[in-house]
Amino acid sequence: MPIAITFVCAYSKCAFTNHDSYNIMTLVMFQYCPSCASKNITLKVNKLSCLDCGFVLYQNTAAATGCVIQSDDKVLLLVRGKEPSLGKLDLPGGFVDPGEDVLNGLLRELREELGWQPPIPPGVPLVEILKLFASFPNIYPYKNIVYNTCDMFFTVSAPGLTENDFRIEAEEISSIRFVHPDDIDVEDLAFDSTRRAIEAFKELRERKSISV
């Protein structure tokens, strides 16, 4: 039976570099063996084992994406329209589906969430359009289940965009806004990994003198 857990996380202290979140996720999902209903279960890193029937379940990390869409001197942020983190700012992106690679997963999410995708010239590979710049572990609590994710963040440049260029997914997003990177308060962002990604993007701009 799932149990509810409330997480309180300070951005500066949440690195998620150990295995605690794996065990948290498994404890949230299972109090009994899914095979024989025994309570004689053990946890080791991301592995749940039943000592009575020998059942083994691995809780592997889910792949997820985020995208910094650069347009002139600003980047696009979403205002989340649902839990978790309703009303908080976020980047477009989401979970990678089974059978899907990361780049095409992000491209699908851009189409679904924004009704938009970056221009892709004929013959140009997607890896040259969507450019990976950072990756961080994260936890994503949803309906009393906590998912461990590996979030990969990409940049794409699309000058001249306005809000009229997008058809947002109303069930997921309440609004969008263009914000200069220096004006983004990381405490307004929805997730730890997104906060870290925005900080990494700002550092990347400074280090390489990127003009967005």
Side-chain angles (χ1 to χ4, degrees), residues 73-94:
D73 64 340
K74 297 181 180 180
V75 299
L76 179 72
L77 294 177
L78 316 178
V79 180
R80 292 183 59 84
K82 61 179 293 187
E83 297 292 355
S85 300
L86 173 68
K88 286 281 193 176
L89 300 178
D90 201 3
L91 293 171

Side-chain angles (χ1 to χ4, degrees), residues 51-151:
L51 301 180
D52 288 336
C53 74
F55 176 83
V56 174
L57 177 68
Y58 286 93
Q59 295 295 327
N60 294 317
T61 299
T65 60
C67 190
V68 177
I69 300 174
Q70 310 171 55
S71 186
D72 304 319
D73 64 340
K74 297 181 180 180
V75 299
L76 179 72
L77 294 177
L78 316 178
V79 180
R80 292 183 59 84
K82 61 179 293 187
E83 297 292 355
S85 300
L86 173 68
K88 286 281 193 176
L89 300 178
D90 201 3
L91 293 171
F95 285 100
V96 179
D97 284 346
E100 193 174 49
D101 66 72
V102 171
L103 291 171
N104 280 287
L106 176 55
L107 195 64
R108 172 185 52 77
E109 287 286 351
L110 294 178
R111 293 174 184 144
E112 292 176 356
E113 291 187 335
L114 300 175
W116 175 89
Q117 71 172 43
I120 306 173
V124 177
L126 194 53
V127 70
E128 294 186 13
I129 305 297
L130 299 169
K131 299 181 180 180
L132 179 70
F133 74 94
S135 180
F136 301 102
N138 195 41
I139 57 172
Y140 186 88
Y142 182 70
K143 293 187 177 180
N144 293 337
I145 296 178
V146 179
Y147 297 89
N148 289 275
T149 69
C150 177
D151 296 351

Side-chain angles (χ1 to χ4, degrees), residues 15-16 23 39 50 59 100 102 121 143 185 190 195 201 211:
F16 303 115
N23 288 344
K39 295 193 71 172
C50 177
Q59 295 295 327
E100 193 174 49
V102 171
K143 293 187 177 180
D185 184 347
R195 300 183 191 109
F201 177 72
S211 177

Side-chain angles (χ1 to χ4, degrees), residues 4-18:
I5 293 180
T6 300
F7 291 89
V8 178
C9 175
Y11 161 65
S12 61
K13 298 181 180 179
C14 286
F16 303 115
T17 56
N18 56 36

Side-chain angles (χ1 to χ4, degrees), residues 190-209:
F191 303 107
D192 176 75
S193 62
T194 310
R195 300 183 191 109
R196 297 171 72 185
I198 289 297
E199 294 287 16
F201 177 72
K202 291 179 181 180
E203 292 174 5
L204 183 66
R205 287 179 69 241
E206 294 176 2
R207 190 164 63 247
K208 295 188 175 181
S209 299

Side-chain angles (χ1 to χ4, degrees), residues 151-167:
D151 296 351
M152 290 157 277
F153 293 92
F154 298 79
T155 62
V156 62
S157 180
L161 290 176
T162 70
E163 293 185 8
N164 293 330
D165 293 308
F166 303 97
R167 299 186 308 278

